[in-house]
Amino acid sequence: MNGTIYDFAGLPRLAAFGPDSRVRADARRLAATAGAPARIAMVSNPRSRRNKLAGGVPAARPGVIAAAPRSRAELRDVMIRFAAEGVDLVIVDGGDGTVRDVLTCSGDVWGARWPRFAVLPSGKTNALALDLGVPADWTLDQLLDAARAGRTATRSPIAVERRDQPGGPVRGFLFGTGAFVAATALAQRTHRAGAFNGVAVGLALSWAVAQTLFGSATGSWRRGERLGLRHDTRSVAMHGAELAVDRNQYLMLASTLERLPLNIRPFGAARPGLKTLTIDAPPRRILSAVGPLLAGSEAAWLERAGFHRVDAPALDLDLEGAFTLDGENFPGGAYRLTEAAPIGFVVP
């Protein structure tokens, strides 16, 4: 499930693997059976960092249906089987990329009634787990105890869909373009050097700021990329920012997470919903702005300096360059981002 560049042109083919109406009806019937004991399934990424270090995926538990697919096509088939068997809790054993793949390959499998999910953090980055308060050393037995106790929090993923092609959306939690793509590539290098999670984020941010400060005015870090952006005007929260832009941007971030690694707060105060940050290119006052920005400051001078925050339920993007969703690159194009329906996650 790792190491393959996502291609939106392939999503219609994934959708074609979806269950027929009989399977969907069976899944709904099984999931809604009154008084039935919880049916639990676990999908493990055998290539996740912790599983590789441990020499394999966690040992099976009685009553837990286990699967370790090695491709997205296999993962799609696994999710269809889980739905048909009436699973109402899916444990995701992996990192942020594995969570993205599970939610994406679920597609229309669950209809309008999705199961609860739980994250067993075993990847190089585990931002969703951090946001949910899941410790890095959470065990499967502790997770199952929390599930039996009914401890749950909700998060809404971002649904990213091509506007110019048919097919289902990719679902993730942290979206970025511009300098964020290059910073993510730097973070991948820190992974190879043995830095993970918050340490990797800190190193990547530091290097990105240095490249921006000391690079040439015409260098790629400062030049930015052309970005057409139109926020949905319904239920918009903003601080004087423009709802529509079409010019070079240094960086754009979007997320529905409420807490990010290292407790950085580029979107301001912690809150639910789809939040965006755009930074004009070339970035101004970056040295004096980076500290207050990451600390969540809402000082008016940040907006005047080209650091724009907007909360909106949806937005349309026209991208020249690639974007990153939960650590994986996707090609540029015409996209729509929406705040998807909330999903319940088991928490400690």
Side-chain angles (χ1 to χ4, degrees):
M1 286 179 285
N2 290 333
T4 302
I5 298 298
Y6 246 119
D7 180 0
F8 268 78
L11 290 180
R13 292 196 293 275
L14 276 179
F17 290 132
D20 60 24
S21 58
R22 176 185 56 78
V23 173
R24 285 195 295 268
D26 286 347
R28 286 194 296 269
R29 176 180 57 78
L30 289 168
T33 301
R39 290 187 61 81
I40 302 171
M42 180 169 67
V43 55
S44 295
N45 182 350
R47 293 190 291 273
S48 71
R49 173 176 171 264
R50 191 163 73 177
N51 288 338
K52 288 173 68 176
L53 290 174
V57 300
R61 296 290 191 279
V64 178
I65 306 166
R70 292 185 172 271
S71 70
R72 290 184 177 115
E74 286 184 22
L75 176 58
R76 173 70 174 181
D77 290 340
V78 165
M79 300 313 293
I80 292 170
R81 177 164 63 88
F82 286 174
E85 294 185 14
V87 166
D88 47 25
L89 171 62
V90 177
I91 300 168
V92 183
D93 169 30
D96 292 325
T98 307
V99 174
R100 178 202 59 232
D101 286 351
V102 167
L103 298 183
T104 297
C105 289
S106 292
D108 61 350
V109 166
W110 305 100
R113 183 169 180 163
W114 281 47
R116 288 184 302 164
F117 286 81
V119 181
L120 195 62
S122 61
K124 294 187 290 292
T125 60
N126 302 281
L128 174 61
L130 173 68
D131 183 39
L132 293 170
V134 173
D137 59 353
W138 212 25
T139 67
L140 178 56
D141 289 330
Q142 290 171 330
L143 186 158
L144 293 173
D145 287 342
R148 284 188 285 267
R151 296 194 287 271
T152 305
T154 60
R155 291 293 184 273
S156 298
I158 304 172
V160 184
E161 196 161 9
R162 292 288 304 235
R163 302 200 317 273
D164 53 355
Q165 294 179 6
V170 174
R171 296 179 178 91
F173 289 91
L174 183 59
F175 174 103
T177 67
F180 185 77
V181 175
T184 300
L186 290 173
Q188 297 291 347
R189 296 179 198 171
T190 67
H191 295 330
R192 290 193 288 272
F196 302 98
N197 291 311
V199 175
V201 172
L203 290 173
L205 282 173
S206 300
W207 183 246
V209 171
Q211 290 279 1
T212 303
L213 284 172
F214 302 113
S216 69
T218 58
S220 60
W221 282 91
R222 296 180 60 81
R223 183 175 64 244
E225 293 178 349
R226 195 77 177 180
L227 172 68
L229 183 153
R230 293 167 298 284
H231 284 94
D232 193 310
T233 56
R234 297 171 298 159
S235 185
V236 170
M238 53 187 290
H239 305 278
E242 299 170 89
L243 293 179
V245 299
D246 187 4
R247 59 175 179 265
N248 275 28
Q249 296 289 313
Y250 169 69
L251 172 148
M252 177 197 163
L253 291 177
S255 185
T256 52
L257 297 177
E258 298 177 24
R259 178 187 175 199
L260 293 175
L262 300 181
N263 201 31
I264 61 173
R265 292 178 286 169
F267 306 107
R271 61 195 184 279
L274 178 55
K275 304 167 285 289
T276 67
L277 167 71
T278 56
I279 301 177
D280 294 344
R284 292 178 288 155
R285 303 182 63 181
I286 186 72
L287 186 59
S288 57
V290 66
L293 182 75
L294 296 182
S297 171
E298 298 185 9
W301 70 265
L302 287 168
E303 174 68 33
R304 294 193 297 270
F307 300 83
H308 312 292
R309 294 173 173 137
V310 178
D311 292 11
L315 57 140
D316 290 336
L317 291 176
D318 294 292
L319 301 172
E320 268 188 2
F323 70 86
T324 295
L325 184 68
D326 292 342
E328 187 152 2
N329 287 349
F330 296 76
Y335 292 93
R336 183 166 179 82
L337 276 61
T338 57
E339 181 183 341
I343 295 172
F345 288 92
V346 174
V347 296

